Amino acid sequence: MNVGVLASGEGSNLQVLLDTVHGSGGIVVTAVASDQPGARALERAAAAGVPRGVFARDAYPDREARDRAIAAWLGEQGVDLVVLAGYMAILTPPFISAFAGRIINVHPALLPAFPGIRAIEQGIAYGVKVFGVTVHFVDEGVDTGPVILQGAVEPPPDALTDAAAVRALLQPVEHRLLPEAVRLIAAGAVRPDPDHPRRVLVDRG
Ligand code: GRF
């Protein structure tokens, strides 16, 4: 299974994919694309010898045109599964339909709570005691697609209002769940529930 990763920033999730699933179990990261030319994620891709694509916002007339270009490039790289790993732009319908059912995202909250940007800060503002991570399929909404895996974290009381502390607690969960989801998909262990459109059946073995 050829994996294409979209990342806008640091790329720590990309790095974990490169270090764990890349080159094992028939999984190859064949492409890394970014909307941010200076993204650290692109350096990580270069260091791993993975082809990179840069799709800067101002190089295209509109978001759809850019998304068509990204989708076409990923197609040329033979990508089967698209992983959003800190990709900060919302994908438009032409991209979603090009890879329908084959796009996953990692989000730093227990969806459906706190979709969109600054999810950890949203949770702190709400006063939650439990934070978490969701890996989910991507549809045309913002963090609305079917859930594949979730993991929860209960920060100590003094960390409950500290976004950096919560982020540090969530990062290992992301770094565990995202590669696991990719492995499970590659193994054919993730499938839609025929009896329920929102549910995903996951066989974790
Ligand atoms: C992660 O927190 C992920 O949940 C969110 O963006 C962040 C990306 O981090 N979607 P990194 O670039 O992989 O380090």
Side-chain angles (χ1 to χ4, degrees):
M1 185 178 75
N2 290 341
V3 175
V5 179
L6 302 192
S8 301
E10 176 57 30
S12 72
N13 283 283
L14 166 65
Q15 190 66 55
V16 167
L17 293 174
L18 291 170
D19 292 345
T20 58
V21 298
H22 181 49
S24 82
I27 301 165
V28 181
V29 178
T30 55
V32 173
S34 184
D35 56 334
Q36 301 294 329
R40 169 92 176 100
L42 291 169
E43 293 171 25
R44 296 180 189 272
V50 175
R52 292 164 293 162
V54 177
F55 301 86
R57 285 166 199 221
D58 53 11
Y60 299 91
D62 53 39
R63 290 166 54 218
E64 279 83 0
R66 181 179 61 177
D67 283 358
R68 281 196 189 88
I70 301 173
W73 183 74
L74 294 174
E76 287 162 18
Q77 307 303 316
V79 165
D80 303 303
L81 177 74
V82 177
V83 176
L84 309 185
Y87 187 63
M88 298 310 288
I90 293 167
L91 291 166
T92 56
F95 189 98
I96 306 286
S97 52
F99 286 96
R102 298 186 294 143
I103 312 170
I104 66 172
N105 180 45
V106 57
H107 182 75
L110 292 170
L111 293 170
F114 314 127
I117 60 167
R118 300 181 68 77
I120 294 169
E121 288 81 357
Q122 291 182 54
I124 289 172
Y126 196 89
V128 299
K129 312 289 191 211
V130 178
F131 291 79
V133 169
T134 303
V135 179
H136 64 96
F137 282 111
V138 173
D139 62 14
E140 290 184 9
V142 176
D143 300 322
T144 52
V147 170
I148 304 168
L149 297 175
Q150 290 185 305
V153 164
E154 287 185 60
D158 62 346
L160 286 170
T161 56
D162 181 342
V166 173
R167 189 166 291 110
L169 291 168
L170 293 183
Q171 205 172 41
V173 182
E174 294 189 346
H175 292 175
R176 178 169 52 82
L177 294 184
L178 185 60
E180 183 182 2
V182 171
R183 267 197 214 99
L184 289 166
I185 291 168
V190 175
R191 60 193 172 88
D193 183 340
D195 299 325
H196 194 291
R198 277 216 59 89
R199 282 189 205 131
V200 172
L201 302 174
V202 179
D203 181 0
R204 288 174 110 167

